[in-house]
Amino acid sequence: MPETDMSESKLPIAVFLSGSGRTLANLIRHRDEHGLPIDIRLVISSRDDVRGLEIAKDDGIPTRCVRKRDHRDPFEHAREMFDPCRDAEVAYVVMAGYLNHVLIPNDFENRVINIHPSLLPSFGGAGMYGHFVHDAVLKRGVKISGCTVHFVDNEYDNGPIIVQRSCPVKPDDDADTLAARVFEQECLALPEALRTLL
């Protein structure tokens, strides 16, 4: 890992997102209210019309939009995503609801983490995100669900697990109620994982 500024023992991170920024907002809240020792140096979005960018700008975090469709070459797309992270000297990249597949460069191996709304390796893989996960959990009749924070490699939802948190699946759950219960655990699991990395 390259030299990074760990002044005051704060972990310098970038956040990749594609939507509402709920996970980014949770990280900011944990930083400000619970002393989570992170320095969010950059937010990169796959879309330019999402609430997540507004949340970042309101907090004074530099932002960029990198649309995958503008980069047919996956290696060029990866450069556009990770060169700004290198420039910002981040130690880790946090995928916070980032829905595109991006190649992980060699120098970012075991430096990109993702939070997934199931207990991996169950209910992971291509197309398994958001309510697709919770619908699949309910159809399968699973009694316990939860979330997983893991390192990202070049396969969907595959890298080594850092933290998992579980919650019950209730008999009257639908995808919305289960998603809300799992998200409560996500809000705890990701800060826990970042503290572990620090």
Side-chain angles (χ1 to χ4, degrees):
M1 185 186 306
E3 290 289 328
T4 54
D5 178 12
M6 301 288 283
S7 59
E8 301 177 9
S9 297
K10 289 186 178 179
L11 192 67
I13 66 170
V15 173
F16 292 177
L17 54 80
S18 294
S20 67
R22 292 189 310 165
T23 299
L24 173 62
N26 177 62
L27 289 177
I28 292 170
R29 182 173 65 84
H30 274 264
R31 180 199 67 193
D32 294 347
E33 298 177 13
H34 303 290
L36 180 64
I38 57 172
D39 176 10
I40 307 171
R41 296 189 174 180
L42 177 67
V43 169
I44 300 180
S45 174
S46 62
R47 296 171 49 192
D48 60 8
D49 59 348
V50 295
R51 173 73 180 136
L53 287 176
E54 295 177 30
I55 291 170
K57 290 172 183 174
D58 288 347
D59 196 65
I61 303 167
T63 63
R64 292 175 63 99
C65 176
V66 178
R67 298 185 305 180
K68 188 172 185 179
R69 68 174 180 264
D70 295 338
H71 305 284
R72 291 185 180 273
D73 179 351
F75 294 98
E76 178 190 344
H77 177 238
R79 281 194 299 274
E80 287 294 312
M81 296 295 292
F82 285 97
D83 276 353
C85 298
R86 295 180 182 105
D87 293 342
E89 299 183 327
V90 302
Y92 291 93
V93 171
V94 177
M95 290 190 171
Y98 182 72
L99 299 181
N100 288 337
H101 187 267
V102 60
L103 293 176
I104 307 301
N106 290 339
D107 61 325
F108 274 85
E109 184 178 354
N110 292 327
R111 293 176 56 201
V112 181
I113 68 172
N114 180 53
I115 186 152
H116 183 78
S118 76
L119 296 174
L120 293 175
S122 298
F123 305 103
M128 293 298 283
Y129 61 90
H131 276 41
F132 295 111
V133 174
H134 305 302
D135 283 335
V137 166
L138 293 171
K139 285 176 183 174
R140 184 68 175 170
V142 171
K143 305 306 179 190
I144 297 173
S145 190
C147 62
T148 303
V149 184
H150 65 99
F151 287 111
V152 177
D153 60 20
N154 286 319
E155 297 180 41
Y156 282 104
D157 303 324
N158 183 67
I161 291 170
I162 305 167
V163 169
Q164 288 186 306
R165 293 185 66 92
S166 64
C167 62
V169 179
K170 297 183 178 179
D172 59 348
D173 268 334
D174 59 22
D176 289 331
T177 58
L178 179 56
R181 195 175 309 112
V182 169
F183 186 69
E184 289 175 358
Q185 298 306 313
E186 291 181 40
C187 288
L188 299 173
L190 190 53
E192 179 184 345
L194 288 168
R195 289 183 188 276
T196 298
L197 294 176
L198 183 65

